[in-house]
Structures are given as structure tokens and as C-alpha cells.
């Protein structure tokens, strides 16, 4: 949603709806390529609880739902510590974040492939 106009997208308010028992504002973003993202924001906290995407990939329309939970403050900003992705009613990924660190030094060595253990 950030800089959506500059990116050639448009946003519209759809309605209010619920994610579980939580009331949300529903916004629809349509990109200049026709992809559609529907976002559900908590009406009390304004955090993103759910996102539905509809994207054309290799000639096929793919629909997915993303759920954002376990919000915690890190450096005075809220971050979801659990993200679950569902497609065709099946969880395809669930990511649980243990820690978010800012201003950490990242070296090239962190991206080197490990060597094969000779004991295998």
C-alpha cells in the first residue's frame, strides 16, 4: 500500500468485516498489472490481520490468504511474529519469528554454502 499511487496502483475502501471476532476495515489494492490484494486492518489498532492476494503466475490465477498474528513491539514498531499462508484451504507455510534485530552487522560469510561433512 506504501506509495501505491506512484506505483500505478489504486486503493478502495470495500467495507468493514470480521477476521475471527475482530472487526476490520477492508481495503482493496489493484496494481497496474491487475493483481488484487485485499487487506483486513484491525479497526482498533490498525494492524494488518489478514491479506488475500489474487495473482496471475505463468498463466494461472493463484489465490492465497496470509494471516498475521502475535504482534509485538520492536524498536517502538509493531511486527507480527507469526505469519501463516493458506492456499486451497491448506497451510502452505507457517513462519514463527523468534527475534527481530535492527542494525545488525551482516557479513558475506553468512551467505556462504556450508562444506560437505566428510563423515557422511
Amino acid at each position: 500500500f506504501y506509495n501505491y499511487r506512484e506505483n500505478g496502483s489504486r486503493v478502495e475502501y470495500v467495507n468493514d468485516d470480521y477476521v475471527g471476532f475482530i472487526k476490520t476495515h477492508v481495503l482493496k489494492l489493484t496494481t497496474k498489472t491487475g493483481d488484487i490484494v485485499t487487506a483486513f486492518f484491525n479497526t482498533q489498532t490498525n494492524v494488518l490481520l489478514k491479506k488475500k492476494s489474487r495473482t496471475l503466475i505463468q498463466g494461472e490465477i493463484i489465490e492465497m490468504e496470509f494471516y498475521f498474528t502475535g504482534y509485538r513491539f520492536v524498536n517502538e514498531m509493531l511486527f507480527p511474529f507469526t505469519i501463516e499462508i493458506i492456499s486451497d484451504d491448506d497451510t502452505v507455510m507457517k513462519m514463527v519469528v523468534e527475534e527481530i534485530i535492527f542494525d545488525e552487522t551482516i557479513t558475506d560469510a553468512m551467505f556462504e554454502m556450508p562444506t560437505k561433512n566428510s563423515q557422511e
Side-chain angles (χ1 to χ4, degrees), residues 81-97:
F81 274 67
T82 301
I83 300 171
E84 184 173 10
I85 302 173
I86 297 173
S87 181
D88 293 327
D89 295 323
D90 290 324
T91 296
V92 295
M93 187 195 84
K94 185 172 185 176
M95 179 174 64
V96 178
V97 177

Side-chain angles (χ1 to χ4, degrees), residues 6-46:
E6 291 82 353
N7 295 324
S9 301
R10 75 176 184 276
V11 171
E12 60 187 279
Y13 169 79
V14 177
N15 60 14
D16 285 352
D17 200 353
Y18 286 85
V19 173
F21 295 105
I22 301 172
K23 188 175 181 181
T24 62
H25 296 302
V26 183
L27 300 176
K28 179 175 140 185
L29 178 134
T30 305
T31 69
K32 64 182 173 186
T33 61
D35 293 341
I36 297 172
V37 175
T38 306
F40 299 75
F41 293 93
N42 183 318
T43 59
Q44 299 297 310
T45 63
N46 294 318

